[in-house]
Amino acid sequence: MSEEIERDVMTCGVCIVGAGPSGMSAAIKLVQMINAHNEAIDNGSKQGTRIDEESLGVDVPVIVIEKGGMVGAHSISGAVMNPVALAELFPNYKEEAPLEYEADIDEVVQLTAAGARKLPITPPTMINHGNYIVSLGKVIQWMGEKFSELEQDVYATFCGQEILYEGSKVIGVRCGDKGVNPDGTPKSNFEAGMDLHAKVTILCEGSRGSMTKQLIKKLNLQNINPMVYATGCKEVWEVPEGRMEGRKVIHTMGFPLDNKTFGGGFVYHMKNNMVSVGMITALDAADPQMDPHKNFCKFKQHPFIKQILEGGKMLSYGAKTLPEGGWNTVPKMAGDGFMICGDAAGLVNTPKLKGIHYAMKSGILAAENAFDMLVSGDFSASSFERYIQAVTDSFIGQELIPFKNFRPLMKKGIFPMGLVKGGINYFTKGKYPWVNMKLHEDHTEIKTMAEYYPGGKPEDDIKYDNKELIYDKLTDVYNSGATHEEKQPCHLKVDTAKCKECYEKFGSPCEAFCPAQVYNIVRDEKTGAFERIQVDFSNCVHCKTCDIRDPFQAINWVCPEGGGGPMYNNL
């Protein structure tokens, strides 16, 4: 239907897709620079031409679109934020931004099934003095307010559906249609998504961005390694007074993960007797029944974590994927007509568990490059590619390049040899190992049920109480605020021809790896044999785990009708 209907076209100087940390930083920096430039032109302190609709020949100089119902609704992270990039945008951020606490006490704890041992020395990468515990959603909402003070608006509920091209040149994006029936026919309130034609398109979609994924494949932008990911599940709790003090940042390794699965847990102290608690599990785990949400629940049951949460109240839940492969998985970040920022570009420092300030800085650098192009009128491919060098020369490249082999070094587990190798990697500033180590797409690492469970899968002993400590997926989805218009096409495009084979070989891993119980296998009541897959897309929290880990790559996550998805609070 999308090719048969007439669409409105809006022309713009710069189109920014996504209002997360990279998108809002790009938007704010760009408008700040345009305003300063125009003011200097107007008062005669600078020679040149104003940047506006008339000089650019467009409907609007800058537009920001966001698939969430409001700015910050889909923003989720741990999070302990390095403030260096935020300070560039707002020198008075300490007085204005909604920060929780400046991190004061770091603890790294190794968990066993029943015990906990604090490491005597905190690894240098895990020292957080000078960083701030934050709710990313609150920070992004605040940045949206600061953007409004610049007399600019974010077009919330507008999702980018596909990239528009002229040959291999990106010329903008097409927004998703609204008011479409499940069978694809228009409803009475149908509204065709507009085409946004832009001189510059900045993709800030976050982890496994649906359009960025298309772009990387179409233009062959992949680095020497593909992107690899982990899924993090997180809750915010209100705990009894005095239970968590000292502006503490706790990271854990070990239980509930086996020694060959990469990941770990965290607990961060927040204001008003709240804590942020979460568990991250790598998506290259060999176990076909690997369940990030179940790992999170087991993590909370551990005595070390239970003593913090017991007697408290769970307030909100969320889940997301994060790119963790490092510099050698970062795709070519710019080309003719486009730049890619933040998590969409894989700019995450895995050993430091940091990515927010890279997202913000990459957005700032993209804005600076876009501004230079608007001033000069030079929108050649080489002008866009200046952004790649800017990122490489910035603290992003300086910090990520030495750790380019960190994730491959962890392939055989964190403790003890992973820590040893990681330490050598750190102290040699990345000189060890002396080659570029290989990574493979996460879904290729999954073993079949017969390979992983030759004696049969053991019974699961976890029991959800749904009121005191551990919550099943549906209860957690409720606490994520996730909603979607039910009568619309399913945004999880499943090749159902693969489902029966996946069930027989891998035990339907989608039921396990999805942290929101979107996928449910309907089985024969008598024999237990596979009948069909049921996709409850309204539960989706937009984490993209399914798009990444499905062993047949038979699930394609595309953007649903704008405004759908989670409504994160304090996450």
Side-chain angles (χ1 to χ4, degrees):
M1 182 182 70
S2 61
E3 299 300 328
E4 301 169 358
I5 59 178
E6 292 187 10
R7 298 181 180 275
D8 292 335
V9 175
M10 178 182 287
T11 58
C12 47
V14 179
C15 176
I16 299 170
V17 182
S22 58
M24 289 311 305
S25 297
I28 290 167
K29 182 64 175 180
L30 182 56
V31 173
Q32 287 175 340
M33 296 179 75
I34 290 173
N35 288 350
H37 170 85
N38 289 346
E39 183 179 346
I41 297 295
D42 292 344
N43 65 29
S45 62
K46 182 178 182 180
Q47 299 297 312
T49 304
R50 286 175 55 89
I51 297 174
D52 54 25
E53 295 88 343
E54 183 178 354
S55 66
L56 296 175
V58 296
D59 297 319
V60 60
V62 181
I63 188 169
V64 185
I65 62 172
E66 162 59 33
K67 65 183 175 67
M70 58 180 284
V71 175
H74 291 180
S75 293
I76 175 175
S77 185
V80 181
M81 179 186 71
N82 183 324
V84 60
L86 188 64
E88 285 190 49
L89 294 172
F90 305 107
N92 295 325
Y93 75 93
K94 290 183 181 180
E95 290 75 36
E96 299 181 16
L99 309 173
E100 295 293 326
Y101 288 122
E102 184 174 358
D104 185 43
I105 300 173
D106 285 293
E107 290 184 2
V108 178
V109 180
Q110 182 193 4
L111 300 182
T112 61
R117 183 175 70 92
K118 179 183 173 182
L119 297 191
I121 299 175
T122 300
T125 58
M126 304 304 287
I127 294 174
N128 282 286
H129 295 296
N131 297 331
Y132 285 85
I133 301 166
V134 299
S135 157
L136 181 60
K138 284 184 179 180
V139 171
I140 300 306
Q141 289 175 27
W142 173 76
M143 292 179 75
E145 293 167 3
K146 302 301 284 187
F147 191 55
S148 295
E149 291 176 11
L150 296 171
E151 299 183 352
Q152 300 289 322
D153 293 313
V154 173
Y155 284 66
T157 76
F158 282 73
C159 71
Q161 197 66 46
E162 62 180 287
I163 293 175
L164 302 175
Y165 299 92
E166 279 185 358
S168 61
K169 178 182 177 65
V170 173
I171 61 167
V173 300
R174 173 166 293 170
C175 296
D177 299 334
K178 297 181 180 181
V180 180
N181 284 308
D183 63 0
T185 58
K187 298 178 183 177
S188 59
N189 64 341
F190 173 76
E191 180 182 333
M194 73 173 76
D195 284 350
L196 302 175
H197 288 187
K199 298 178 183 294
V200 178
T201 300
I202 305 177
L203 295 169
C204 306
E205 296 183 283
S207 180
R208 192 72 165 194
S210 55
M211 291 194 299
T212 305
K213 177 183 68 174
Q214 299 169 20
L215 180 71
I216 291 171
K217 183 176 181 179
K218 179 180 176 69
L219 300 184
N220 193 27
L221 305 178
Q222 181 177 300
N223 204 331
I224 60 173
N225 282 331
M227 287 193 185
V228 297
Y229 299 85
T231 292
C233 296
K234 172 187 172 180
E235 291 170 349
V236 172
W237 281 64
E238 182 182 0
V239 298
E241 189 169 356
R243 187 67 60 81
M244 185 85 168
E245 295 181 324
R247 299 179 293 176
K248 187 179 290 186
V249 171
I250 301 172
H251 290 106
T252 74
M253 65 181 76
F255 181 87
L257 304 179
D258 62 46
N259 198 40
K260 291 187 178 180
T261 301
F262 185 68
F266 62 85
V267 185
Y268 303 148
H269 184 200
M270 301 172 72
K271 292 179 180 177
N272 301 318
N273 296 316
M274 293 191 299
V275 297
S276 170
V277 56
M279 181 75 203
I280 299 168
T281 307
L283 294 183
D284 65 349
D287 183 357
Q289 297 299 297
M290 187 279 291
D291 186 330
H293 183 271
K294 189 174 293 180
N295 288 339
F296 177 48
C297 291
K298 290 179 178 179
F299 173 68
K300 289 188 294 176
Q301 284 183 314
H302 190 280
F304 180 77
I305 305 301
K306 184 177 180 180
Q307 68 175 343
I308 298 172
L309 303 179
E310 201 165 31
K313 179 183 179 182
M314 193 266 281
L315 302 177
S316 53
Y317 166 81
K320 69 160 288 185
T321 54
L322 57 150
E324 60 175 23
W327 188 255
N328 282 348
T329 68
V330 173
K332 184 181 179 184
M333 293 177 283
D336 204 358
F338 71 91
M339 292 176 278
I340 309 172
C341 301
D343 278 12
L347 300 177
V348 171
N349 191 322
T350 301
K352 291 188 176 184
L353 277 179
K354 295 289 179 290
I356 296 174
H357 66 304
Y358 297 149
M360 290 180 174
K361 181 62 175 178
S362 63
I364 290 169
L365 294 172
E368 291 173 344
N369 197 40
F371 175 78
D372 289 343
M373 287 188 279
L374 294 177
V375 171
S376 67
D378 179 3
F379 299 98
S380 62
S382 59
S383 293
F384 282 91
E385 291 173 1
R386 288 197 302 259
Y387 165 71
I388 299 173
Q389 194 61 50
V391 172
T392 305
D393 292 342
S394 73
F395 64 74
I396 301 174
Q398 292 169 11
E399 294 178 11
L400 289 184
I401 291 172
F403 291 117
K404 63 185 179 181
N405 281 314
F406 178 84
R407 184 61 182 87
L409 287 171
M410 300 295 121
K411 289 292 288 182
K412 294 185 178 180
I414 299 177
F415 194 84
M417 290 309 299
L419 282 179
V420 173
K421 293 176 182 178
I424 298 172
N425 177 249
Y426 174 81
F427 286 110
T428 61
K429 301 185 185 301
K431 293 179 181 177
Y432 169 83
W434 298 275
V435 296
N436 287 317
M437 299 178 69
K438 291 298 293 180
L439 286 169
H440 304 282
E441 290 185 88
D442 292 316
H443 70 90
T444 66
E445 304 280 6
I446 305 172
K447 293 185 178 180
T448 65
M449 291 291 286
E451 291 170 331
Y452 197 85
Y453 295 108
K457 184 177 181 291
E459 288 293 323
D460 195 357
D461 58 356
I462 193 165
K463 295 181 180 179
Y464 302 97
D465 56 49
N466 286 331
K467 59 181 180 180
E468 293 182 358
L469 187 63
I470 58 172
Y471 299 83
D472 61 26
K473 291 180 180 180
L474 288 181
T475 304
D476 264 337
V477 167
Y478 174 81
N479 286 293
S480 75
T483 58
H484 292 82
E485 165 59 49
E486 297 274 357
K487 294 182 179 180
Q488 65 170 303
C490 178
H491 66 280
L492 301 157
K493 308 301 182 184
V494 181
D495 180 359
T496 56
K498 302 289 187 181
C499 292
K500 188 173 186 293
E501 184 180 0
C502 187
Y503 176 81
E504 293 169 348
K505 286 186 175 180
F506 297 97
S508 293
C510 57
E511 288 187 298
F513 62 58
C514 175
Q517 200 169 323
V518 168
Y519 302 97
N520 296 281
I521 301 302
V522 178
R523 298 166 172 83
D524 184 276
E525 292 184 2
K526 293 182 179 180
T527 66
F530 175 89
E531 288 190 348
R532 61 183 175 86
I533 188 170
Q534 178 175 304
V535 182
D536 296 323
F537 70 85
S538 59
N539 293 350
C540 182
V541 294
H542 296 203
C543 70
K544 324 287 180 59
T545 301
C546 56
D547 193 288
I548 298 163
R549 184 162 165 85
D550 175 63
F552 286 95
Q553 290 295 276
I555 302 173
N556 181 29
W557 193 100
V558 301
C559 200
E561 186 171 300
M567 184 63 71
Y568 287 143
N569 182 28
N570 283 333
L571 295 174

